Amino acid sequence: MAGTFLNFPFDEDIFKMYWEAEPDLVKTELLNSGSMVEDAAIAQLIANGSDTYTAPFYKLLNGSAVNYDGKTDITTVEAAGDSASGVVFGRAMGFAETEFVRAFNSGANPMQYIASRVAPSWNHFRQKTLLGVLGAVAGVPAISSHVIAKDAAIEETTLGDATVKALGDNADSISLAFMHSAVANKLANMEILKYAVYTDAQGIERQNRKIAYVNGLLVIVDDNAPMTAATSGSSAKPATYTTYLLGSGFIRHAAAPVPVSVEVSRDPAKNGGMNYLYTRIRETIHPNGFSFTKPKSGYTSSPTDAQLADKANWSLKADAKSVPFVAVTTQV
């Protein structure tokens, strides 16, 4: 008889031996796109604890030439430096298994499934955190020239024009476009977005729908890209979509040590036996060229998701033209 038991669907005629996992619809290709890279220098800075770190850097040095005529004194320019700060966040996830499920449903093994989903679960979190940080730095006033909004549908030249407007002759530092499927579909219909092709074993050329390019940029299609839904009524507005244009290595990542990153425990009495898996991380996701300042209130030893995504906690430290990040908002 069909029904549920311990929050699991159970039908003895159908589910006697195997369980099928619910499809995972969260895409995390942005993490592996090259826009986020491991930073050994930051890893060294956070290796001994603390929740913040500071990386010094030299400011660009430009000398001034004077006339060398035997009479004119040579002027000097002194080297100067600055620093940018980042923050380490700590998070924990716990999972539980009612052991009786194994006895009651032959072949079920929830803990084995849990173990297989720990890494994807953390990557879901990292992707969400990364998008929150990108949204925050897009709101920093000093980078406003990189935030371009159009009250019109995206056109053939929109992304290219936006990149040049923001970065000028440094536009070639952009290598990736992260966009909503509605934007990708519009560009594909305009024949601007091209899917990669390959030849199968039978010699037939086919599209690889997971890899696409637009204006020479690698495209990642993900409906977690920012969008604002359409409104109706007297002040009706169409939906808008934000496409992030990123350069390789713009996002820096490093893991901080955790004394006990994973552990298991068991409660033999509760529900006849419960098994638990606990996981912990401490790490940083940092946009290169920006600095994080601890908020003056509501901060503990680790920033919350909201604090990481708050533009007020971020400031620009580099020359805006050197920052390979552009946010383009359009209709479709």
Side-chain angles (χ1 to χ4, degrees):
M1 178 181 293
T4 60
F5 179 74
L6 300 176
N7 295 322
F8 282 82
F10 177 71
D11 187 317
E12 60 185 7
D13 295 325
I14 301 175
F15 297 103
K16 287 186 176 180
M17 292 299 295
Y18 300 103
W19 293 86
E20 182 176 354
E22 180 181 4
D24 183 359
L25 300 180
V26 178
K27 300 181 184 295
T28 54
E29 283 84 355
L30 183 58
L31 300 178
N32 302 316
S33 65
S35 61
M36 187 168 80
V37 298
E38 296 299 315
D39 192 308
I42 293 178
Q44 187 174 13
L45 289 173
I46 63 179
N48 296 320
S50 182
D51 58 338
T52 58
Y53 56 92
T54 299
F57 61 89
Y58 287 110
K59 290 185 176 180
L60 184 64
L61 184 66
N62 280 318
S64 298
V66 299
N67 190 16
Y68 180 44
D69 58 1
K71 295 182 180 181
T72 305
D73 293 338
I74 301 174
T75 58
T76 60
V77 177
E78 186 175 355
D82 202 343
S83 63
S85 297
V87 66
V88 175
F89 54 82
R91 299 291 189 270
M93 287 188 193
F95 307 88
E97 169 202 59
T98 302
E99 191 176 71
F100 188 63
V101 170
R102 299 194 193 193
F104 191 75
N105 298 287
S106 176
N109 191 338
M111 187 55 72
Q112 183 180 57
Y113 171 66
I114 287 171
S116 73
R117 291 300 306 169
V118 170
S121 294
W122 278 119
N123 280 338
H124 290 181
F125 160 75
R126 290 185 181 97
Q127 168 112 339
K128 182 179 178 181
T129 301
L130 173 53
L131 290 174
V133 169
L134 291 178
V137 298
V140 173
I143 203 76
S144 61
S145 60
H146 291 218
V147 180
I148 297 166
K150 292 173 62 69
D151 275 332
I154 191 167
E155 299 174 343
E156 295 181 4
T157 62
T158 298
L159 299 183
D161 289 348
T163 304
V164 173
K165 181 179 180 181
L167 296 168
D169 58 6
N170 196 36
D172 61 354
S173 63
I174 298 294
S175 58
L176 169 75
F178 179 80
M179 63 182 63
H180 194 279
S181 61
V183 177
N185 184 62
K186 179 63 178 291
L187 293 175
N189 290 339
M190 296 165 62
E191 298 186 349
I192 302 303
L193 183 144
K194 303 289 186 180
Y195 289 102
V197 297
Y198 68 98
T199 303
D200 66 14
Q202 287 73 44
I204 300 174
E205 191 175 84
R206 300 184 184 277
Q207 285 185 335
N208 184 337
R209 302 289 290 186
K210 294 183 178 180
I211 302 176
Y213 296 90
V214 59
N215 295 344
L217 305 178
L218 175 66
V219 172
I220 292 180
V221 181
D222 190 328
D223 283 350
N224 288 303
M227 68 88 64
T228 301
T231 59
S232 57
S234 57
S235 58
K237 293 182 179 180
T240 58
Y241 303 85
T242 297
T243 298
Y244 287 140
L245 306 176
L246 307 169
S248 177
F250 170 57
I251 303 296
R252 320 301 286 188
H253 175 269
V258 177
V260 182
S261 60
V262 60
E263 64 181 316
V264 294
S265 69
R266 173 176 168 77
D267 184 337
K270 186 173 180 62
N271 296 329
M274 293 289 295
N275 297 317
Y276 301 94
L277 175 67
Y278 299 99
T279 60
R280 305 174 184 87
I281 65 166
R282 293 187 74 243
E283 59 188 42
T284 184
I285 293 177
H286 187 81
N288 204 20
F290 291 85
S291 188
F292 183 88
T293 302
K294 289 183 182 180
K296 295 181 179 179
S297 62
Y299 184 89
T300 56
S301 297
S302 169
T304 64
D305 292 347
Q307 289 167 339
L308 287 172
D310 187 347
K311 64 183 181 181
N313 297 328
W314 294 94
S315 59
L316 181 66
K317 281 287 187 173
D319 185 323
K321 189 176 177 180
S322 70
V323 177
F325 171 67
V326 184
V328 186
T329 300
T330 64
Q331 302 166 12
V332 296

